[in-house]
Amino acid sequence: MAAPGSCALWSYCGRGWSRAMRGCQLLGLRSSWPGDLLSARLLSQEKRAAETHFGFETVSEEEKGGKVYQVFESVAKKYDVMNDMMSLGIHRVWKDLLLWKMHPLPGTQLLDVAGGTGDIAFRFLNYVQSQHQRKQKRQLRAQQNLSWEEIAKEYQNEEDSLGGSRVVVCDINKEMLKVGKQKALAQGYRAGLAWVLGDAEELPFDDDKFDIYTIAFGIRNVTHIDQEAHRVLKPGGRFLCLEFSQVNNPLISRLYDLYSFQVIPVLGEVIAGDWKSYQYLVESIRRFPSQEEFKDMIEDAGFHKVTYESLTSGIVAIHSGFKL
Amino acid sequence: MATLLRPVLRRLCGLPGLQRPAAEMPLRARSDGAGPLYSHHLPTSPLQKGLLAAGSAAMALYNPYRHDMVAVLGETTGHRTLKVLRDQMRRDPEGAQILQERPRISTSTLDLGKLQSLPEGSLGREYLRFLDVNGHCFPYDTRAPTRFVDDEELAYVIQRYREVHDMLHTLLGMPTNILGEIVVKWFEAVQTGLPMCILGAFFGPIRLGAQSLQVLVSELIPWAVQNGRRAPCVLNLYYERRWEQSLRALREELGITAPPMHVQGLA
């Protein structure tokens, strides 16, 4: 489908969801969000700005951006701790699997959108670095009868330890980027990393710039990003999305719901002092489309060879598509 | 476009999240009358309350600066006790007035200028002095609104209890260091019976040094308990109408004696 059409479809889907939600009688709760004056809107007949969902509330698209910003501003410092506590550390495995699926070759230019605290970026750098080291070792082993001087020169060349790979971490939230930068300093990542404050719906990059575009646990917080993703990828570039999805096993689904709605907000309150942000989190997961639907949406946006892989019985899924 | 929408809508209504029976619907949409009852109210299930109570107790012990955890502990464990307190307030004429008029003690409702102008030794003036000496900061749990109490009136009762806490410091003559707080907690535990006060009274001293602990156990706690039992319920006092009353007279009225020793230097 042509890009403008796909963009329209995406926004229609946004509106379609909210209409469907209304039809299914979701409550519009009056929530006194800290510092936020707006509550969920009541039903009315007149034409309104495009609507979307914010957890179980229905909000306009402009509102959603602001509200999501506030959520992540307040959770930024405890983000990583909470991830570990909520997923019992499994989120690390999920992210590792994303990298494994990515199999980046040396020289890959990666754009990690909504990459906030840098988990994907650091894993990418580790992967690329170890790949490069292995390559170096192989080369040296292949060259027989080298003198000590030649070996020393090889190591002294100080060539790019990443093999030309670069990663750009883009996030709309300053607090999350700040935490990410601090982590990078603490863990010693310097080369090959760039931090950009930017909006996923309007990326501050030129066309055809990146080999891989990833968005891990960020896509349900934004509204239309397909066009931008398509634009900044080089032809042949890959779109990878790691996100919570629908559980396919009914028993696990019930346990998962129980855990999500009973335990996670409590964890949020006790550890981070923030009930509402984590209530938003579990609600936004429920509102996200299923694996198949999301695959269709990616295809509609112009990507080819779209596949997905469910992890942990469908709690998360990795979707992949190519710009051809 | 409509033809494209229809399958999307159909698929959406087929989403597991929407077809679940009411009992399994996530908490916010539950229809057992548990929508928010007052502003800031967060309806919680019994399981969540239990988890919150355990988690907040653990966190409060681990990090004593998390005053919000103490507040959460109080809210999640105090339901039955709050009912008893509320009924007892209703039986008392001054308490009943408080329940009806719902006065609040906060920086926005206090007229500090007027309190300043009151004569020395009056409740208002001494209260102001107490605030000044202790850094003029309301403790965190006073400011935080009640969230987990599932009854609007009881939510006010616990809010009133928190706001009266500073008054108790003034009445008992206790500073806001750890020792002073523990003494006030013992007084409150005897007076109100709130589980959070009882827990705080018993677990608070964990972090005290041996010398303070000795003073606490031998003199301060018996004094606090005695006064707590003797005095009528302090929640029944309409403090806002008693600013001009002399502090000494008020203490006599309540049967509160002078503390056994000056606590400022300890802890």
Side-chain angles (χ1 to χ4, degrees):
Chain A
M1 237 177 144
S6 70
C7 183
L9 178 66
W10 200 281
S11 57
Y12 257 99
C13 283
R15 263 177 259 143
W17 292 340
S18 45
R19 269 193 228 121
M21 289 297 117
R22 255 179 274 148
C24 299
Q25 289 172 356
L26 260 180
L27 297 176
L29 287 175
R30 210 161 284 280
S31 61
S32 39
W33 199 273
D36 186 64
L37 310 163
L38 304 166
S39 51
R41 293 189 185 182
L42 301 169
L43 305 178
S44 73
Q45 298 300 341
E46 87 255 50
K47 216 164 185 229
R48 241 166 307 155
E51 291 206 321
T52 179
H53 56 83
F54 179 74
F56 288 145
E57 289 178 44
T58 307
V59 298
S60 77
E61 287 176 359
E62 300 93 49
E63 276 176 67
K64 172 159 182 167
K67 287 183 125 165
V68 170
Y69 194 96
Q70 280 174 350
V71 166
F72 282 94
E73 201 174 15
S74 76
V75 306
K77 291 208 180 67
K78 295 273 174 91
Y79 186 72
D80 292 319
V81 173
M82 283 300 301
N83 279 347
D84 275 328
M85 302 279 350
M86 289 192 290
S87 67
L88 307 170
I90 302 179
H91 75 108
R92 296 166 187 242
V93 176
W94 292 332
K95 290 173 183 160
D96 289 337
L97 283 170
L98 177 68
L99 250 297
W100 193 87
K101 199 172 171 95
M102 201 195 292
H103 273 320
L105 299 169
T108 302
Q109 311 292 307
L110 170 68
L111 173 65
D112 184 24
V113 177
T117 52
D119 279 342
I120 302 292
F122 299 152
R123 281 175 170 79
F124 174 79
L125 289 174
N126 286 342
Y127 187 102
V128 161
Q129 214 159 26
S130 65
Q131 206 183 35
H132 187 83
Q133 277 170 354
R134 259 180 283 138
K135 180 172 149 212
Q136 255 192 334
K137 268 200 207 135
R138 268 200 308 265
Q139 271 180 338
L140 284 177
R141 233 181 285 141
Q143 297 168 356
Q144 306 289 326
N145 294 325
L146 279 179
S147 70
W148 284 116
E149 287 154 351
E150 283 169 309
I151 296 178
K153 218 192 308 173
E154 184 81 41
Y155 275 109
Q156 268 169 16
N157 268 344
E158 285 271 348
E159 65 171 71
D160 186 7
S161 66
L162 299 172
S165 308
R166 297 280 178 277
V167 56
V168 177
V169 180
C170 180
D171 200 294
I172 197 173
N173 194 300
K174 264 187 234 158
E175 294 302 313
M176 295 290 281
L177 280 178
K178 225 195 295 187
V179 173
K181 278 195 214 165
Q182 282 165 356
K183 268 173 67 179
L185 264 175
Q187 296 176 20
Y189 294 102
R190 276 180 306 275
L193 192 54
W195 304 89
V196 174
L197 185 70
D199 186 347
E201 300 179 13
E202 244 188 278
L203 289 168
F205 306 111
D206 235 337
D207 299 2
D208 304 337
K209 268 252 148 333
F210 296 99
D211 296 307
I212 307 185
Y213 174 110
T214 54
I215 180 162
F217 300 118
I219 203 166
R220 69 182 190 286
N221 298 312
V222 296
T223 28
H224 325 295
I225 62 162
D226 49 308
Q227 225 189 351
E228 284 297 280
H230 201 267
R231 181 180 70 83
V232 300
L233 276 174
K234 289 187 196 156
R238 191 174 194 186
F239 170 83
L240 277 168
C241 173
L242 174 66
E243 188 54 82
F244 290 107
S245 201
Q246 305 291 335
V247 178
N248 39 39
N249 181 321
L251 172 64
I252 296 192
S253 172
R254 293 186 72 161
L255 288 173
Y256 179 52
D257 284 343
L258 185 74
Y259 179 74
S260 294
F261 284 97
Q262 301 294 317
V263 178
I264 286 186
V266 172
L267 277 178
E269 177 64 33
V270 170
I271 298 178
D274 193 344
W275 176 283
K276 289 213 160 139
S277 298
Y278 291 91
Q279 182 82 30
Y280 161 71
L281 167 70
V282 296
E283 289 176 0
S284 67
I285 292 175
R286 295 300 172 296
R287 293 294 297 256
F288 198 71
S290 68
Q291 284 90 326
E292 275 297 324
E293 281 200 45
F294 191 48
K295 170 173 174 247
D296 292 338
M297 288 160 81
I298 298 176
E299 274 171 355
D300 291 337
F303 290 98
H304 298 265
K305 300 291 275 168
V306 180
T307 57
Y308 64 83
E309 185 186 339
S310 292
L311 307 172
T312 327
S313 309
I315 296 182
V316 300
I318 301 179
H319 281 80
S320 157
F322 290 89
K323 169 178 174 175
L324 296 173
Chain B
M1 272 303 168
T3 48
L4 285 160
L5 257 184
R6 242 181 272 129
V8 174
L9 284 174
R10 221 184 297 129
R11 254 179 281 167
L12 278 172
C13 283
L15 268 184
L18 298 170
Q19 272 185 344
R20 268 187 233 125
E24 284 176 78
M25 274 295 261
L27 226 33
R28 283 228 277 174
R30 185 174 288 178
S31 56
D32 54 4
L37 298 167
Y38 48 90
S39 75
H40 300 288
H41 181 214
L42 289 170
T44 42
S45 68
L47 173 63
Q48 282 180 316
K49 287 210 174 63
L51 290 171
L52 269 175
S56 60
M59 185 53 94
L61 273 178
Y62 173 73
N63 182 356
Y65 292 103
R66 290 288 302 271
H67 298 294
D68 59 325
M69 288 291 102
V70 178
V72 169
L73 181 61
E75 288 170 29
T76 49
T77 53
H79 197 80
R80 206 175 299 164
T81 318
L82 284 173
K83 277 204 189 132
V84 169
L85 277 175
R86 190 257 321 261
D87 293 338
Q88 173 259 106
M89 276 173 88
R90 275 192 189 151
R91 286 194 295 268
D92 180 273
E94 209 172 338
Q97 250 186 339
I98 295 175
L99 279 179
Q100 224 169 4
E101 293 174 25
R102 306 259 178 111
R104 298 288 302 266
I105 304 176
S106 68
T107 40
S108 53
T109 56
L110 284 183
D111 185 354
L112 295 173
K114 175 168 161 263
L115 291 181
Q116 189 93 8
S117 65
L118 289 172
E120 287 287 318
S122 63
L123 178 64
R125 192 75 187 80
E126 293 306 311
Y127 179 60
L128 209 58
R129 175 170 296 137
F130 163 78
L131 289 179
D132 278 332
V133 164
N134 289 284
H136 219 302
C137 55
F138 288 91
Y140 179 91
D141 57 347
T142 311
R143 275 184 260 128
T146 315
R147 279 174 303 161
F148 299 110
V149 179
D150 290 334
D151 179 302
E152 199 228 343
E153 197 172 21
L154 298 181
Y156 173 73
V157 173
I158 202 171
Q159 188 76 36
R160 180 77 183 163
Y161 150 75
R162 278 187 212 147
E163 289 170 0
V164 156
H165 180 83
D166 284 335
M167 287 288 154
L168 291 182
H169 273 280
T170 315
L171 276 177
L172 296 172
M174 286 289 133
T176 48
N177 52 27
I178 297 188
L179 207 55
E181 291 290 350
I182 295 175
V183 174
V184 176
K185 267 284 168 291
W186 273 92
F187 183 84
E188 286 174 346
V190 173
Q191 282 259 309
T192 63
L194 281 169
M196 177 260 283
C197 298
I198 298 175
L199 285 172
F202 278 102
F203 284 97
I206 280 182
R207 292 176 175 262
L208 279 182
Q211 194 194 13
S212 317
L213 204 56
Q214 218 233 336
V215 168
L216 186 70
V217 172
S218 60
E219 294 184 47
L220 291 171
I221 289 183
W223 171 78
V225 171
Q226 228 181 6
N227 281 283
R229 297 173 89 155
R230 190 167 43 215
C233 184
V234 286
L235 285 177
N236 286 336
L237 298 176
Y238 207 135
Y239 296 99
E240 289 85 341
R241 299 228 181 106
R242 291 172 179 252
W243 291 131
E244 293 93 8
Q245 184 178 12
S246 142
L247 185 57
R248 185 168 302 171
L250 185 56
R251 281 181 179 155
E252 268 179 44
E253 187 184 328
L254 297 175
I256 295 179
T257 56
M261 60 205 305
H262 195 56
V263 198
Q264 195 74 32
L266 295 169

